[in-house]
Amino acid sequence: MQLPVRFGRYELQTFLGGGMSHVYQAVDTVMGRAVAVKILTEQGIRDAEAKQRFLHEARLAGSIQHDHIVTVYDYGEEQGYPFMVLEFLRGQDLRDAIRNGQAGDAANRTRIALEVARALGFIHERGIIHRDIKPENVFLEQGGRAKLMDFGIAKSEGLHLTQAGQSMGTPFYMAPEQVIGAAVTPLVDVYSFGMVLYEMFSGVKPVNGDTLQRLFYVILHETPDRGPLVAAGTPPALVDLIYRCIAKKPEERLQSFGAIAEILQGVLAGATQAAPVPVAAVSGSKAGKGALVAGALSLVLLLGAGAVWYLRRPQPVAAPAPARTVRGGAVVPVAAGEFLLGPDRKSSRLPAFSMDRTEVSHRAYTEFAQATGAPDSPGEPELPVVNVSFDEAKAFCRWAGKQLPSEEQWEKAARGADGRSYPWGSEMKAQLAAVKENPAAAKGPVPVDSLAAGASPAGALHMAGNVWEWVEKPHTPSAQAVESLQRLLQPPPVAGEAWHRIKGGAYDRGIAEALAFEFVSMPARFRSPNIGFRCVLPAA
């Protein structure tokens, strides 16, 4: 295949590798973001078991949305080839971090363990068993955040050691019941997690064997030596946790990742009170092209079968302050201070401001049009106004004594200070947003003052779904973005004209496109029935 080449809405740019499926670094020409596209090969299509496994992984992983699980944006079939589209991760897997001495100190390793435990607890609550927890399946982004990966054998597929392409690294982390072929329960993930923790803190594998038979004997009958953990200075509470996870009998292990996470939080709180860990990337700020390539190749191996999360106990979120009514719609206050911005959750700071509680409604826009003589955009009074250009949105905000929000203001109002993926948290909950998966949005946008359960920490509604929202963020579009709009605008758009970003997703798009840190770039003169806006009021 001659690259670059179009594959549906994706431009495949670089072949990263693979076996039964091929993985490419690509660009989503609609969203304008880098992605990894995994495509089943002709050989894989002819292999019924491989095709079943691929489709199983796509459906399963596509149903999961969590801060610490790799995101599947899309999946389906294109040109006769099954495919899935995943976020493109930059960094390295935990195996390389351990090998290269880049997993950080004890507090940082505990933070990684806690993030993985939360991810595993999340999938267990949904009846999913991962079955293949190992360092290669934990990815560390350049900002330090851990991501659980590879659901190729999760839940309904058994583990077949003789299967072509089966990693021989996997048996080191298999639970005794997996070795003997007994029924698999969520406690196999608890065991494997404990074995990964042992290696992460000691630097060595907890079990070894010259042959597979010898390795299985060790797993079944021998308890890993505590010596390497003690020699590495592992906190006693963590040593105890590890051995409570790797008990031979499932009933003797810790019984849930909720219990494991609670212990890790306690260990981490003690560590941060004694010696605060500096906010630094696991890969370090020196990570450049080499780290990116290493991360991409690690991603290929895993798929082929932000700033560091704050190191303290989660703090209670205060109830939003009451809204106050001003011209153009009610506003809710957003406090001054630090917050986490963008997909990498970089620390940023803003002064206090107020954000419109809802999108601007047709009722409010009609009042503006009548007062100023501007063209109206007719519609149901309580629905969000749409078909409004960037400049028309700015004019409304000026009339209301406000401004269009900057991207930073919009994200802080949507995500809160903790950098969550959605206004309500980090779980994909389509029922809380007017998006394609929610029957409430089947006929179009919903009233601006609806779906209060999906409000942001500041109390703003519909910051995920309903209609995209203009933000003041000049942006140079990609060639693909310009090309995708050639037939929608007259005269056709060019990169040299004014472009700005829209954020938040819409009623006709999926929940995965409503991630608060995502954006789409559009010409400022563009109008659409799924694009609206809201305003921001700077502090006096």
Side-chain angles (χ1 to χ4, degrees), residues 76 87 188 224 236 255 269 293 296 302 377 419 476 536:
E87 63 179 316
V188 302
Q255 296 296 294
V293 171
L302 298 177
S377 178
T476 301
V536 67

Side-chain angles (χ1 to χ4, degrees), residues 243-331:
Y243 279 86
R244 293 175 70 187
C245 290
I246 64 173
K248 302 293 185 190
K249 296 179 179 180
E251 63 271 18
E252 294 178 357
R253 297 173 200 155
L254 285 165
Q255 296 296 294
S256 74
F257 277 99
I260 291 170
E262 186 175 349
I263 294 171
L264 288 168
Q265 285 176 317
V267 172
L268 193 54
T272 54
Q273 289 168 7
V277 179
V279 177
V282 170
S283 299
S285 58
K286 299 178 181 178
K289 183 176 180 181
L292 172 59
V293 171
L297 292 177
S298 297
L299 178 63
V300 171
L301 294 175
L302 298 177
L303 297 179
V308 171
W309 199 256
Y310 55 87
L311 303 180
R312 294 174 176 85
R313 289 180 182 271
Q315 298 299 312
V317 178
R324 61 189 179 95
T325 302
V326 296
R327 175 186 277 186
V331 296

